[in-house]
Amino acid sequence: MSPYADVAHLMKGRTIARIVYDAETIAGRVRELGAEIGAAYPEGDLLVLGLLKGSFIFLSDLVRQIPRPLQVDFLVATSYGNETVSSGLVRLVYDPETVLEGKHILLVEDIIDSGRTLNRLVDLLGVRRPKSLEICALLHKRLTPDLRLDAKFVGFDAPHEFLVGYGLDHAEDFRQLPFVASLAD
């Protein structure tokens, strides 16, 4: 029996090529990241800022593993509009209501690939004068040398495949899978 046979009904006729990171591996790495983040921020106000939608599952597991007081907020950014290719122009659809000035800001992302959105967000958040700004990503494809701010905390280096599960989607599907997998063509 395949390790993902119990989720076959969730796949909408698509096939998983392989499970890249299983649920147990992800949970273990999230625990480690929580400890690393807690140690990196021994004092001061910490705001964990999730980039929706992809980060929501990772962020919810992560904040429960950070052994210190913190606040959580979200932002939504888009660079696609109604197109299938990024315009390169990033627009905040939902802007965090929390004051950023003077706080340690940890921007949580599901996956870093081209870096366009992340670069623009670093600029937008930086002008709000946080005490510090760092990035935590579940997955990093290491595709671009042009990141203005590389992730300080990374769960896993990601293969150059289209990945779904644990918050990552394909046309809004597959976010609820308990693992990260690549889709078969």
Side-chain angles (χ1 to χ4, degrees):
M1 177 178 253
S2 94
Y4 49 87
D6 60 331
V7 296
H9 67 286
L10 303 174
M11 296 307 299
K12 298 180 79 171
R14 297 293 305 260
T15 304
I16 292 173
R18 69 186 182 103
I19 293 177
V20 179
Y21 298 106
D22 64 35
E24 294 77 24
T25 301
I26 294 169
R29 184 64 184 126
V30 170
R31 278 191 303 275
E32 293 169 359
L33 285 170
E36 291 172 27
I37 292 165
Y41 298 100
E43 55 190 48
D45 292 332
L46 175 61
L47 173 63
V48 180
L49 192 57
L51 184 55
L52 292 176
K53 296 180 190 172
S55 73
F56 82 101
I57 292 176
F58 173 46
L59 181 131
S60 68
D61 287 346
L62 180 66
V63 296
R64 290 180 286 174
Q65 299 299 323
I66 300 173
R68 66 161 338 264
L70 56 81
Q71 295 176 343
V72 176
D73 205 340
F74 297 91
L75 56 85
V76 179
T78 182
S79 63
Y80 289 84
N82 293 328
E83 304 300 322
T84 57
V85 176
S86 174
S87 67
L89 300 172
V90 176
R91 183 174 62 89
L92 282 179
V93 178
Y94 173 77
D95 199 349
E97 296 188 9
T98 307
V99 174
L100 306 184
E101 186 173 344
K103 294 182 179 176
H104 296 291
I105 308 300
L106 182 63
L107 181 60
V108 176
E109 172 72 294
D110 56 351
I111 188 166
I112 299 173
D113 45 35
S114 75
R116 275 193 204 121
T117 300
L118 207 50
N119 279 343
R120 184 67 181 127
L121 289 175
V122 165
D123 291 345
L124 290 170
L125 297 173
V127 299
R128 297 183 183 185
R129 301 183 355 193
K131 186 170 188 172
S132 68
L133 175 60
E134 297 293 350
I135 298 165
C136 176
L138 174 65
L139 301 166
H140 197 324
K141 285 194 174 181
R142 311 250 183 233
L143 294 176
T144 180
D146 299 328
L147 289 175
R148 287 191 183 85
L149 178 64
D150 204 356
K152 180 173 183 170
F153 306 98
V154 175
F156 305 98
D157 284 342
H160 297 200
E161 301 170 49
F162 192 86
L163 303 174
V164 297
Y166 199 70
L168 288 88
D169 74 301
H170 176 264
E172 296 300 325
D173 292 322
F174 315 120
R175 291 187 195 277
Q176 80 277 25
L177 297 176
F179 47 75
V180 173
S182 62
L183 288 178
D185 293 329

